[in-house]
Amino acid sequence: MTSRRRPLGHSTVEVGELAFGAAGIGNLFTPVTDAAAEAAVAAAWQSGVRYFDTAPHYGLGLSERRLGQALRGRPRDEYVLSTKVGRLLRPLPESEGDDLADGFAVPATHRRVWDFSAAGVRRSIEDSLERLGLDRIDVVYLHDPDEHADQAISEAYPELARLRAEGTVGAIGAGMNQAELLARFIRETDLDTVLLAGRYSLLDQRGLTDLLPLAAERGVGVVIGGVFNSGLLADPRPGATFDYAAASEELLTRALDLKAVCEEHGVPLRAAALRFPFGHPAVASVLVGTRSAAEVRDAATMLRHRVPDGLWADLKERGLLPPDVPTPQEAH
């Protein structure tokens, strides 16, 4: 089942509601076999997913290589692929241990070099195309330019705009774990899309303060990542993580309260977490990091799960969601 597609801003690129985040198949935190990575992408395809997101950062290029391999032979015009620029991979003379300090269970065969120059953008895209084994990339994001915002806006963005004008890239954007700087990018550039991770979820609506209204006003498509806040909203229990650190007692209690209300309505918490962002008109897609066929199928099933309007009303009434947060309307 292919979900309905929505445009990314004013570009010709359209994405489905569920996107496959490929950090997991780049060995995020723990190893994944080649076969399991291939099976995860195949399960996504079978579930109707047609938007796949990766980055050079993920596993020092492993994610791009595996994703490209898994998509080989699929009709190229039927799927959308995004990758990112900002970190170039420089080979090391010899492998120096592993890359777990940066979160990936791969040999440290390369080092990452921050580079938001125009030349760096071109080089990054050329390298990504080679790893992916593709002749074009549909969407390119400026990846985590938090400490490099001025260079990203003055050098990297104009180069991406040129690549878009040339037709080399279909849509351009920026992806970050914060909303404030993404709002600046929307104000000062002509992006098609932004990828906001972890800041528009059932537990964290900071994206609603400035970014989402601005995106709606400017016609910028928003892709939401991190709807489970790194685990807490997928399975709230002692020891669960929020933004990749152990969740506080207060956040765990809130997540368990959310889960209890969802269950009163016969809705798994994961289903509500996945559906919630679509209450805002600027949101085009939700990106879920998955590392196995089972996780992909679960995400697709959860997103299709019926979520009644009464659930959102109850969450607001019990103070678990702000009263003014926009919530999805069930089709009647």
Side-chain angles (χ1 to χ4, degrees):
M1 184 198 84
T2 305
S3 65
R4 58 183 172 163
R5 293 161 80 95
R6 306 177 187 210
L8 285 181
H10 302 296
S11 77
T12 58
V13 177
E14 295 185 336
V15 295
E17 289 186 326
L18 182 61
F20 179 99
I25 65 169
N27 289 8
L28 179 64
F29 303 132
T30 55
V32 172
T33 65
D34 289 344
E38 185 102 24
V41 177
W45 192 274
Q46 290 158 9
S47 300
V49 175
R50 295 293 183 271
Y51 176 25
F52 300 86
D53 174 76
T54 183
H57 171 55
Y58 302 156
L60 294 172
L62 179 62
S63 173
E64 288 186 319
R65 290 193 297 274
R66 281 177 163 171
L67 185 59
Q69 178 61 38
L71 290 172
R72 205 145 297 148
R74 309 279 186 191
R76 185 61 187 89
D77 291 338
E78 285 189 19
Y79 67 86
V80 168
L81 184 138
S82 59
T83 192
K84 306 181 182 78
V85 297
R87 293 173 175 91
L88 291 175
L89 303 181
R90 301 287 192 209
L92 292 168
E94 55 185 71
S95 181
E96 299 179 0
D98 60 43
D99 189 52
L100 281 170
D102 279 295
F104 293 92
V106 297
T109 55
H110 293 70
R111 65 186 178 95
R112 298 171 180 84
V113 178
W114 287 104
D115 191 337
F116 285 95
S117 68
V121 165
R122 290 260 173 185
R123 175 64 189 274
S124 184
I125 291 174
E126 288 167 8
D127 290 349
S128 288
L129 286 169
E130 185 175 339
R131 285 188 291 265
L132 288 160
L134 296 174
D135 61 1
R136 77 171 196 270
I137 294 165
D138 302 295
V139 185
V140 176
Y141 293 103
L142 300 164
H143 196 188
D144 296 336
D146 304 62
E147 306 300 322
H148 310 271
D150 291 341
Q151 187 186 31
I153 287 173
S154 65
E155 298 179 39
Y157 161 72
E159 190 65 14
L160 284 182
R162 281 189 284 272
L163 288 162
R164 179 178 58 185
E166 293 167 8
T168 307
V169 170
I172 60 176
M176 303 176 70
N177 294 297
Q178 58 149 305
E180 296 78 12
L181 192 50
L182 283 179
R184 178 187 167 190
F185 274 86
I186 291 177
R187 287 191 184 93
E188 297 184 20
T189 70
D190 181 28
L191 296 180
D192 301 298
T193 179
V194 293
L195 170 50
L196 175 64
R199 298 294 169 259
Y200 197 56
S201 73
L202 289 173
L203 283 171
D204 187 334
Q205 295 95 43
R206 276 177 277 179
L208 192 59
T209 305
D210 193 15
L211 176 65
L212 284 164
L214 186 62
E217 177 190 325
R218 298 286 180 91
V220 172
V222 179
V223 177
I224 298 292
V227 291
F228 300 136
N229 287 118
S230 84
L232 183 56
L233 285 172
D235 181 17
R237 54 181 169 73
T241 54
F242 177 86
D243 286 358
Y244 305 103
S248 66
E249 196 67 37
E250 179 186 355
L251 278 170
L252 176 58
T253 299
R254 194 171 183 84
L256 288 169
D257 289 345
L258 285 163
K259 181 181 180 182
V261 177
C262 286
E263 288 177 349
E264 286 175 23
H265 289 265
V267 177
L269 177 60
R270 299 189 309 287
L274 282 162
R275 179 52 55 189
F276 167 73
F278 291 105
H280 199 284
V283 174
S285 186
V286 165
L287 187 150
V288 180
T290 46
R291 59 197 300 115
S292 69
E295 288 182 1
V296 173
R297 285 192 284 264
D298 180 74
T301 300
M302 288 297 104
L303 189 55
R304 289 195 293 265
H305 198 289
R306 177 178 174 268
V307 180
D309 295 344
L311 169 60
W312 309 117
D314 266 6
L315 290 174
K316 290 181 178 183
E317 190 175 316
R318 300 187 200 195
L320 292 169
L321 278 180
D324 58 345
V325 71
T327 50
Q329 296 298 303
E330 187 184 6
H332 296 288

